[in-house]
Amino acid sequence: MSKKIKIKSASEAANKVIEWGESRNIETCFDRAEKMKPCPIGETGACCKMCHMGPCRLVGKNAEEEVRGVCGASLATVVARNLVRMAAGGSACHGDHGRDMAFTLLAVANGEAKDYRIKDVRKLYRVAGYLDIEFEGRPVNDVARDVATKLIEDFGRQRGEMNFLKRAPQKTQERWKKWGIAPRGLDREIAESLDRTTMGMDADPESLLNHALKVSLANGWGGSMISTDVTDILFGTPTPVKAEASLGIFKEDEVNVVIHGHEPMLAEMLVEVVSDPEMIAYAKSKGAKGINLGGMCCTANEVMMRHGIPSAGGLTNQELSIMTGLIETMVVDVQCIMPALSELSKKFHTKFITTSPKARIPGARHIEFDEHRAKEIAREIVKAAIDNYPNRKSEGSHVTDKYPVVAGFSHEYIEYMQGGKFRGSFRPLNDAIMAGRVRGVVGLAGCDNPRVPATGLHKYLATELIKNDVLIVSTGCSSVACGGAGYLTPEMALENAGPGLREVCEAIGIPPILHLGACVDNTRILTIASAMAAEGGLSDEIGGMPAVGIAPEWMSEKAIAIGCYFAASGVPVIFGGESPVRASKEVTRIMTEVWFERFRGALVFEPDPEKILAMTLDYIDKARAALKLKKYEPGKFGTEKVLMDMAARREIEKAARPHLGL
Ligand code: MSK
């Protein structure tokens, strides 16, 4: 790379493409981030545009209490209202994803979406159990219809509580009840968020922030959890799978199709269609050797977790992948799609296709997805890509960098890997934490961001945390960032993990960073934390565990909603970048001190990555001390049960099921 170019991404492959683009005056999000300075008032949460007496800029040298808008709203009120609206926006987006999944399950159960079938019946029964739906001896589709119907009803529930709340530890639920944040239906909490924050409504920052927690819980333990469960039911619960990541996944001699966004319904069909012999023959008739499907952002995570489809990257790689010049079609579903892709694709031969009525982009070709005709639509898209192959020009930055990845760690598999099908539990992990072999657990999540060297904070924190014997569970673009750096392999543990974590990873043959899925799959972390609480020996609720959530490069309202539902569930969460609530000391105090007192979680903003690391280890060590666990000392462990390796697990299964001749 030439010296004069400022590092924009922490990925070498990304920087090569950025440099190539700069030499041809092709603008990307990195250039726009440089040109577009954040609004200094809005960035701190101090701008109120809820009515037309303003917008009011609540700035000035006076004390916080004295700064008021035209209506007299205080700075704390305005900042809190803005946070509630962000949480509601994020909850609506991820929640709608869950709703779409539930409607697809209903269509499958009714025989109306014939290209799909239920792949994980065991998971369907497990979810039916949570919902008190009888499943023994009933036809699978009847159970699925009841499950889908009950889940869909939960979105619009007007009274009572959402069904999945009862999956949380009892003590965690009691805290929600005590502080009035156990959500009814997701739709009701979103409507109330908009209602409360309108001019002349709720002006009490504490009450407003309570509602930010409530609407976010409706997403975390409702919309997003429904998405994770239904996706597993329909497309299979992930188990470890090998894949590859980074911009070098594209093939020069094949038709390259990129699927980008979040929802996996179309992506699942594309996986089938690209390996259809008829389609491959058609691609060969156009001079290509085959069809190569790659993923982007969280749709990539969905199909990587279940099929080993490679990922080209996260948020900041979407434009760069088109700039490789190798993409025949980029097809998008919903969420995190930069409108810039439309104009950019015209500079290359790439066909840019939108598919959701909720995410139309001017200049794109629109082929609307409909789960009732899923395969037919997927075939139309792949055919359009093949037809475009002869139009490929030599123009583009053909990078070759790619890394091996091991993904596919569902919470069910994590339980299985700790004891096999018949003795699966979280006992070994809890024991390893109690003995100090594993210092604690961090959920590393969230977006990558062009305002920092993109993916760099994920990489820094991932390596430093595992050095400190912290097990990482990752999701979303954080997983993509780690995968694109070669961190999601068991070898990463051998080379970089502290001695205790290394031993644990070696015993079971896992990476020290477990890829749990897309950003809706943060709910898998809630399930794991609940299982650890139920297992005993640590905290008997999610709060108080030696566990922290980090989103060092977040940018989306969805991240705010996730941060809030983790805080309400009892997890201290640290976000990178400047705080969107920093205009108000009062709001900052409530989100850190008051939330910690009430729920044992918090949402803290800290731009300095070294401080994020120090705060994380401090939270973990304080939780260990409060639980009276052995003081963490690298290389010095207490005694605990040894984690079972693969051979030991097979032995147990063999003994339990001799007829299978395993
Ligand atoms: S895609 S919300 S940039 S994680 Fe889930 Fe990535 Fe953030 Fe979108």
Side-chain angles (χ1 to χ4, degrees):
M1 240 183 55
S2 91
K3 288 269 184 322
K4 64 182 183 347
I5 289 178
K6 185 182 155 226
I7 301 286
K8 294 185 171 172
S9 168
S11 151
E12 208 176 313
N15 277 317
K16 284 181 199 163
V17 182
I18 294 167
E19 183 175 3
W20 177 89
E22 285 181 343
S23 71
R24 284 155 181 82
N25 287 325
I26 297 175
E27 192 182 72
T28 63
C29 61
F30 296 96
D31 305 303
R32 293 189 294 273
E34 245 174 47
K35 277 197 253 171
M36 177 66 68
K37 299 292 171 222
C39 163
I41 300 164
E43 192 202 12
T44 66
C47 173
C48 181
K49 48 187 176 62
M50 304 308 184
C51 84
H52 208 52
M53 290 190 285
C56 292
R57 296 166 298 157
L58 279 81
V59 290
K61 293 206 173 81
N62 292 343
E64 179 173 331
E65 312 73 62
E66 290 165 25
V67 183
R68 301 273 163 171
V70 174
C71 70
S74 71
L75 185 53
T77 302
V78 166
V79 172
R81 277 181 186 158
N82 286 333
L83 190 91
V84 174
R85 288 214 166 183
M86 287 178 94
S91 297
C93 198
H94 266 167
D96 233 19
H97 176 161
R99 187 194 321 259
D100 287 346
M101 293 309 306
F103 272 106
T104 303
L105 179 63
L106 184 62
V108 173
N110 286 337
E112 295 160 358
K114 296 203 184 309
D115 298 327
Y116 302 107
R117 63 185 174 81
I118 289 164
K119 287 212 178 128
D120 192 340
V121 175
R122 193 202 287 223
K123 180 116 187 191
L124 172 71
Y125 291 168
R126 194 190 270 212
V127 175
Y130 299 141
L131 299 169
D132 299 322
I133 291 170
E134 190 54 57
F135 55 87
E136 298 282 1
R138 297 181 64 204
V140 169
N141 277 352
D142 287 358
V143 179
R145 189 177 306 109
D146 288 353
V147 165
T149 304
K150 208 156 181 184
L151 292 176
I152 291 165
E153 280 168 10
D154 242 8
F155 285 90
R157 177 182 295 283
Q158 300 302 312
R159 293 204 176 87
E161 291 175 8
M162 293 187 88
N163 272 301
F164 283 174
L165 297 192
K166 56 177 184 271
R167 290 164 66 173
Q170 194 58 36
K171 269 200 175 175
T172 307
Q173 292 182 50
E174 282 162 17
R175 287 181 190 272
W176 296 340
K177 282 194 179 69
K178 179 173 174 193
W179 295 105
I181 61 165
R184 298 155 293 186
L186 178 69
D187 298 350
R188 175 141 198 205
E189 304 309 349
I190 291 169
E192 189 171 311
S193 301
L194 300 180
D195 179 12
R196 271 175 185 259
T197 51
T198 295
M199 188 267 154
M201 287 295 291
D202 199 352
D204 178 345
E206 214 174 288
S207 153
L208 282 160
L209 292 169
N210 243 19
H211 196 74
L213 296 179
K214 193 169 182 175
V215 70
S216 302
L217 282 176
N219 170 26
W221 293 85
S224 286
M225 196 171 273
I226 289 171
S227 174
T228 299
D229 281 352
V230 173
T231 307
D232 286 353
I233 290 169
L234 281 173
F235 305 135
T237 300
T239 54
V241 61
K242 284 186 184 165
E244 288 179 325
S246 194
L247 288 162
I249 62 158
F250 302 121
K251 297 190 177 158
E252 304 223 3
D253 51 6
E254 294 194 14
V255 174
N256 291 300
V257 180
V258 178
I259 174 72
H260 170 25
H262 274 74
E263 291 184 359
M265 284 89 93
L266 170 60
E268 281 285 327
M269 263 316 116
L270 289 172
V271 172
E272 264 190 59
V273 168
V274 295
S275 51
D276 177 343
E278 208 182 291
M279 277 293 174
I280 294 171
Y282 186 57
K284 286 186 176 162
S285 76
K286 300 282 178 180
K289 285 203 174 135
I291 312 166
N292 179 38
L293 180 65
M296 179 68 61
C297 277
C298 279
T299 309
N301 288 324
E302 297 279 7
V303 284
M304 177 186 272
M305 292 284 282
R306 295 185 178 84
H307 305 284
I309 298 295
S311 165
L315 182 84
T316 58
N317 269 13
Q318 55 189 287
E319 291 167 291
L320 307 185
S321 66
I322 289 183
M323 287 159 63
T324 63
L326 295 171
I327 312 304
E328 273 59 54
T329 291
M330 177 175 277
V331 54
V332 299
D333 48 75
V334 289
Q335 303 178 33
C336 300
I337 300 149
M338 293 188 185
L341 295 177
S342 180
E343 282 310 304
L344 179 68
S345 63
K346 292 187 183 122
K347 294 189 166 65
F348 299 84
H349 76 300
T350 307
K351 300 282 180 217
F352 179 53
I353 300 175
T354 53
T355 58
S356 168
K358 289 183 280 191
R360 301 283 299 246
I361 298 176
R365 177 176 175 195
H366 189 73
I367 301 179
E368 194 144 313
F369 182 68
D370 174 357
E371 69 264 28
H372 302 90
R373 299 189 298 115
K375 195 175 271 183
E376 182 192 326
I377 293 163
R379 287 180 76 87
E380 185 183 347
I381 289 166
V382 173
K383 187 169 176 301
I386 296 170
D387 287 337
N388 195 25
Y389 182 74
N391 298 327
R392 194 189 287 175
K393 304 173 193 124
S394 56
E395 185 75 352
S397 176
H398 299 195
V399 288
T400 52
D401 319 43
K402 58 180 175 180
Y403 297 91
V405 166
V406 179
F409 292 93
S410 55
H411 48 272
E412 286 86 348
Y413 186 82
I414 294 175
E415 192 172 22
Y416 164 77
M417 81 191 188
Q418 297 180 78
K421 221 163 241 166
F422 302 97
R423 292 197 194 160
S425 81
F426 279 82
R427 188 72 262 148
L429 177 59
N430 281 18
D431 285 344
I433 293 172
M434 288 161 71
R437 202 174 293 270
V438 171
R439 187 172 183 173
V441 181
V442 158
L444 190 58
C447 325
D448 53 311
N449 194 319
R451 291 209 179 272
V452 292
T455 72
L457 303 193
H458 292 284
K459 287 157 76 171
Y460 166 74
L461 288 163
T463 42
E464 292 305 315
L465 287 166
I466 64 168
K467 255 187 229 166
N468 279 283
D469 289 307
V470 174
L471 177 70
I472 296 179
V473 285
S474 81
T475 60
C477 288
S478 183
S479 294
V480 177
C482 291
Y487 291 3
L488 298 184
T489 61
E491 292 72 38
M492 181 67 179
L494 299 180
E495 288 155 22
N496 295 287
L501 179 61
R502 189 166 60 230
E503 242 180 61
V504 170
C505 292
E506 277 181 317
I508 13 188
I510 55 164
I513 303 168
L514 302 178
H515 183 342
L516 260 56
C519 44
V520 286
D521 294 327
N522 279 307
T523 64
R524 295 193 200 277
I525 303 177
L526 297 176
T527 308
I528 290 168
S530 303
M532 288 168 71
E535 191 64 54
L538 298 173
S539 177
D540 56 357
E541 59 179 320
I542 296 176
M545 291 281 180
V548 175
I550 312 178
E553 299 185 28
W554 76 281
M555 62 86 204
S556 169
E557 289 176 326
K558 290 177 283 175
I560 289 288
I562 294 165
C564 286
Y565 71 65
F566 271 97
S569 302
V571 181
V573 180
I574 310 171
F575 274 31
E578 296 295 348
S579 164
V581 297
R582 72 181 183 279
S584 168
K585 288 195 180 70
E586 176 60 2
V587 169
T588 305
R589 185 187 72 81
I590 295 169
M591 291 172 65
T592 48
E593 295 169 29
V594 176
W595 285 3
F596 197 79
E597 248 171 64
R598 292 180 181 172
F599 308 108
R600 307 186 78 179
L603 181 49
V604 182
F605 296 90
E606 173 51 63
D608 180 342
E610 286 177 16
K611 286 190 186 153
I612 294 178
L613 177 66
M615 283 164 75
T616 303
L617 297 176
D618 189 50
Y619 270 128
I620 287 175
D621 290 344
K622 283 193 175 129
R624 293 186 67 88
L627 291 168
K628 302 201 174 10
L629 301 183
K630 185 187 169 301
K631 190 169 186 294
Y632 166 77
E633 291 171 284
K636 292 188 189 162
F637 321 123
T639 48
E640 90 266 23
K641 283 177 208 157
V642 175
L643 288 163
M644 266 180 271
D645 61 13
M646 199 46 98
R649 262 177 278 149
R650 272 200 210 105
E651 276 312 304
I652 290 173
E653 282 169 27
K654 202 165 149 187
R657 300 193 299 169
H659 57 287
L660 293 182
L662 291 166

